[in-house]
Amino acid sequence: MLNRYVETSATAAVHSLDHFALEVPELSVARAFYEAFGLDVKKQQDSLALHAFGGDHRWGQLFPGEKKRLRHLCFGAYEQDMAAIERQLEAAGVALLAAPEGEPGKSLWFHDPDNNLIQIRAAAKVTPDAKASSVMPAAGVGTRGAPNRQDTAKVRPNRLSHVLIFVTDVERSIRFFEDTLGLRLSDRSRDIVAFMHAPYGADHHTLAFVKSGGGGFHHCSWDVSSLDDVGLGAMQMAAAGWSRGWGVGRHVLGSNYFYYVRDPWGSYSEYSFDIDFIPATLDWVANNHLPEDSLYLWGPDVPEDFASNYEVD
Ligand SMILES: [Fe+2]
């Protein structure tokens, strides 16, 4: 893939995916699932908050609802970019909405073309500024490389990497998120999937789309520190009773090693290791890839209902 350096764009942009919020039917089941996944689940007034262990940032929020659905996605921007982002929304003809009840602070709220609720607020950058160094050490000659199973620690993700949402028109969503949030296209496969990144240094995808019959939430993806953690995460979830999923495998687009565990509502949480990183100084040249590259480089067969959107199906 070719990369080239260019001057930064004049378009104002968000810098991070700050958090996602879902409505789910049973918070107790949600707590059990995400605790088994390795997250620090904290009770809030009427919701649960998802944290990585040892981190203050709230990456996810779960509210009680009749069925699982995407409540909103929140993106963080620098304070000095908020006015320009608001002008970009106006120029795109986007109607600003009142904040949902109980949501504090000054934010921009609006719907994307598929009625997915989006929030933008001034916030600290939580997307990393550099790629974490990979941890795939080779065992020295004459030494054991693998630990005993009893010596492995519980897998605990480091941070949220990205969210993939359902959209009805991939091309339209690419344009919408370019024009409003200033996201940039990383890669796509025709009108099947697309991957976009925030331009201040971010993973290969901050937000991704898969074509569906309506809006909704497909998966949240969590960075872990090693390929072993991806495999051990799958084992950890199976041992806790969450044995349905997809992986272990490796993506072509983003290059990350993955395991997706199916959550109690038919969407997914992904353990992700070694996703490509796009620094702020680089203008990544987006390519339109063959459909065979849209899902994986290697791994088991894709589950038949992997891209089912139970929010509309
Ligand atoms: Fe992913």
Side-chain angles (χ1 to χ4, degrees), residues 16-84:
S16 303
L17 174 59
D18 189 83
H19 67 270
F20 66 93
L22 304 178
E23 288 182 8
V24 296
E26 287 184 71
L27 287 185
S28 59
V29 174
R31 174 186 277 278
F33 177 81
Y34 288 107
E35 283 184 345
F37 191 77
L39 297 174
D40 189 5
V41 182
K42 296 178 179 174
K43 177 95 179 75
Q44 296 182 313
Q45 274 186 334
D46 59 344
S47 64
L48 297 176
L50 303 181
H51 294 254
F53 275 96
D56 291 336
H57 188 72
R58 186 186 65 194
W59 296 108
Q61 240 185 324
L62 305 162
F63 293 87
E66 280 185 20
K67 58 177 280 195
K68 171 259 179 180
R69 76 176 189 92
L70 176 62
R71 184 179 191 264
H72 68 266
L73 292 180
C74 176
F75 294 85
Y78 294 116
E79 175 76 51
Q80 63 267 29
D81 290 333
M82 288 295 290

Side-chain angles (χ1 to χ4, degrees), residues 79-281:
E79 175 76 51
Q80 63 267 29
D81 290 333
M82 288 295 290
I85 290 172
E86 187 167 355
R87 285 196 296 275
Q88 287 170 187
L89 287 162
E90 282 170 18
V94 177
L96 293 178
L97 308 170
E101 203 175 321
E103 288 289 343
K106 185 179 178 306
S107 298
L108 303 170
W109 291 88
F110 53 95
H111 285 121
D112 81 352
D114 292 293
N115 223 30
N116 295 308
L117 183 61
I118 309 294
Q119 175 189 13
I120 302 176
R121 69 178 181 193
K125 184 175 187 284
V126 291
T127 297
D129 291 323
K131 191 175 194 292
S133 54
S134 299
V135 184
M136 294 185 75
V141 174
T143 64
R144 292 182 60 215
N148 289 340
R149 287 179 65 162
Q150 66 184 12
D151 294 331
T152 56
K154 183 172 180 181
V155 175
R156 289 176 163 181
N158 303 315
R159 62 177 175 86
L160 181 68
S161 168
H162 59 269
V163 162
L164 187 146
I165 60 173
F166 293 111
V167 301
T168 56
D169 183 334
V170 169
E171 181 70 42
R172 180 177 65 174
S173 291
I174 292 169
R175 269 187 273 115
F176 179 83
F177 283 95
E178 278 175 347
D179 292 346
T180 57
L181 276 72
L183 296 182
R184 296 187 189 171
L185 184 65
S186 310
D187 283 297
R188 65 183 296 181
S189 178
R190 298 182 184 169
D191 65 344
I192 305 167
V193 292
F195 303 89
M196 304 192 76
H197 64 277
Y200 291 100
D203 292 340
H204 175 274
H205 32 294
T206 305
L207 177 66
F209 316 122
V210 61
K211 189 178 173 70
S212 175
F217 171 88
H218 181 271
H219 76 260
C220 48
S221 178
W222 301 83
D223 178 76
V224 294
S225 300
S226 67
L227 179 53
D228 269 342
D229 274 0
V230 176
L232 289 168
M235 298 278 283
Q236 172 175 310
M237 291 307 279
W242 310 99
S243 55
R244 289 183 67 180
W246 179 43
V248 171
R250 190 180 193 191
H251 287 301
V252 176
L253 308 181
S255 308
N256 49 319
Y257 301 88
F258 64 81
Y259 179 77
Y260 292 84
V261 58
R262 194 178 197 269
D263 69 22
W265 320 285
S267 42
Y268 291 85
S269 284
E270 178 185 18
Y271 293 109
S272 167
F273 168 60
D274 204 29
I275 193 167
D276 292 333
F277 186 83
I278 302 178
T281 49

Side-chain angles (χ1 to χ4, degrees), residues 285-304:
V285 176
N287 284 318
N288 193 349
H289 298 261
L290 293 174
E292 66 182 23
D293 290 327
S294 64
L295 277 166
Y296 62 140
L297 178 64
W298 55 262
D301 292 344
V302 184
E304 206 168 284

